Amino acid sequence: MERTLSIVKPDGVKKNVIGQVIARFEKNGLRVVGLKLATLTKAQAEGFYAVHRARPFFASLTEFMTSGPVVLMALEGEGAIKKVRDLMGATDPKKAEVGTIRADFADSIEANIVHGSDAPETAAFEVGYYFNALELI
């Protein structure tokens, strides 16, 4: 069993597709083991995306991620990280495969509905960043 983090970003919450995103994960064998609705502070977003601090999109990314509520979820299942990445589709929704979350719902590279951890080390950090052990089942 593997755990990973996914975030329905502010654009996904605003578009009211939270349930559809979760349903896609669940239909593909993933189990929600932690779930929160939150509005991130600037400090939380900057800490979470610290790995991108030197990149030109860092300021706009953290501003976007604090622009409205997000849904934070810890998911568990066989090959959860890859499964979530495959279900999300390419970061650029124009390049995402038909039927993926981003192809179906996203508007742009930045407003791309959903985040997912990209590796086991990243997943461990990200799940721990937003959830403590008592909040996970």
Side-chain angles (χ1 to χ4, degrees), residues 6-9 11-12 15 17-26 28 30 73 75 83-94 96-108 111-116:
S6 185
I7 303 173
V8 178
K9 296 180 179 183
D11 57 323
K15 287 183 175 185
V17 296
I18 298 165
Q20 292 177 71
V21 171
I22 294 171
R24 288 184 188 206
F25 292 148
E26 290 180 328
N28 284 277
L30 297 166
M73 65 185 109
L75 301 166
K83 199 173 281 188
V84 167
R85 303 287 294 176
D86 290 346
L87 291 167
M88 290 188 319
T91 304
D92 182 348
K94 293 179 182 124
E97 287 187 39
V98 173
T100 61
I101 293 166
R102 289 176 173 152
D104 291 347
F105 302 118
D107 294 326
S108 68
N112 64 11
I113 301 292
V114 68
H115 165 89

Side-chain angles (χ1 to χ4, degrees), residues 110-128:
E110 193 168 89
N112 64 11
I113 301 292
V114 68
H115 165 89
S117 305
D118 62 1
E121 303 78 27
T122 311
F125 166 78
E126 292 182 350
V127 169

Side-chain angles (χ1 to χ4, degrees), residues 44-61:
Q44 286 173 318
E46 288 176 347
F48 184 76
Y49 288 109
V51 67
H52 300 302
R53 189 172 299 279
R55 295 215 164 140
F57 60 82
F58 179 75
S60 64
L61 173 62

Side-chain angles (χ1 to χ4, degrees), residues 10 40-42 45-46 49 57-68 110:
L40 303 180
T41 66
K42 188 79 164 166
E46 288 176 347
Y49 288 109
F57 60 82
F58 179 75
S60 64
L61 173 62
T62 56
E63 184 175 321
F64 171 66
M65 290 300 292
T66 60
S67 68
E110 193 168 89

Side-chain angles (χ1 to χ4, degrees), residues 1-4 25 28-31 75-84 86-87:
M1 280 298 169
E2 189 173 61
R3 281 192 175 168
T4 190
F25 292 148
N28 284 277
L30 297 166
R31 189 168 74 100
L75 301 166
E76 185 177 81
E78 293 294 327
I81 295 168
K82 182 178 181 337
K83 199 173 281 188
V84 167
D86 290 346
L87 291 167

